[in-house]
Amino acid sequence: TTHQDVAEHIDIPTVNAVNTFVEIREDYLDAFNRNGRTQFQFAFDRATDGDGYFDYISFRAGDYVVELERPELIIEYVLEDCFEFPTVPAPTQGPFTTTIFSNQGEDGFVTEWHWSSEIGYLFNTNAPSFQVGDSGQRQQLMGMLSFDTSSIPANATIDSVEVRLYRAGAS
């Protein structure tokens, strides 16, 4: 519910149709909601360059028709207590890796009210992609992703998390 910088940077692909991975910093691995949603907001450090032109990068959102191009949350974890899967002969603690696709209808981007307001105005959740950057009117464009992380066991220790994004375009 609070804003935290959970990643240092995004390696932005220079061409479309390429994946990029955002590694979540280790000190935030315990912040994942085990009973519902975990959400991420993406923004540039520099809000606008003031040139009056669109400057954004576009990534696929959860509503995109091709599942393999949708955002993914890749979580590696271990369990404190051993348990036995019905198909596995020996008990195991992991490590396990789970991949969670972002939630359709909850991904999107927010457009700033006015270029200097730092207040969100329009939230677009109907688009197959989301933009991060600034508009021609110097308004910030911030991407939002939502993942249902309730499938992570309550007793799991998360070792690593990455968000996979698929570049759709840029201006």
Side-chain angles (χ1 to χ4, degrees):
T1 60
T2 61
H3 173 263
Q4 301 170 351
D5 290 327
V6 300
E8 297 284 324
H9 69 281
I10 299 175
D11 290 327
I12 299 176
T14 57
V15 295
N16 294 342
V18 174
N19 289 324
T20 190
F21 292 87
V22 181
E23 188 173 343
I24 305 303
R25 293 187 351 215
E26 189 175 313
D27 43 330
Y28 291 101
L29 297 181
D30 288 334
F32 284 82
N33 184 359
R34 312 294 174 94
N35 298 311
R37 286 183 274 177
T38 300
Q39 297 178 317
F40 294 95
Q41 173 182 307
F42 295 87
F44 286 152
D45 279 339
R46 185 175 61 179
T48 182
D49 61 3
D51 66 359
Y53 294 98
F54 278 94
D55 298 301
Y56 68 81
I57 187 164
S58 178
F59 296 102
R60 294 282 189 239
D63 286 10
Y64 192 66
V65 294
V66 179
E67 187 174 70
L68 295 177
E69 294 182 19
R70 293 181 189 157
E72 294 176 346
L73 189 65
I74 304 162
I75 304 169
E76 184 176 292
Y77 63 92
V78 295
L79 297 172
E80 296 173 13
D81 301 320
C82 288
F83 71 97
E84 188 172 337
F85 285 114
T87 58
V88 178
T92 183
Q93 289 177 293
F96 302 102
T97 300
T98 187
T99 300
I100 302 169
F101 286 100
S102 65
N103 294 333
Q104 293 182 346
E106 294 181 15
D107 294 349
F109 65 97
V110 176
T111 303
E112 185 178 25
W113 173 259
H114 180 269
W115 68 272
S116 63
S117 70
E118 296 187 16
I119 297 172
Y121 174 55
L122 296 175
F123 184 45
N124 183 341
T125 60
N126 298 327
S129 61
F130 66 92
Q131 285 80 39
V132 176
D134 69 72
S135 73
Q137 292 77 36
R138 301 186 313 189
Q139 297 158 297
Q140 295 179 59
L141 304 171
M142 301 172 88
M144 307 290 251
L145 294 179
S146 178
F147 297 90
D148 181 358
T149 50
S150 63
S151 63
I152 303 169
N155 64 336
T157 300
I158 298 174
D159 289 334
S160 68
V161 177
E162 286 184 318
V163 179
R164 183 192 63 85
L165 301 172
Y166 187 91
R167 180 179 157 153
S171 174

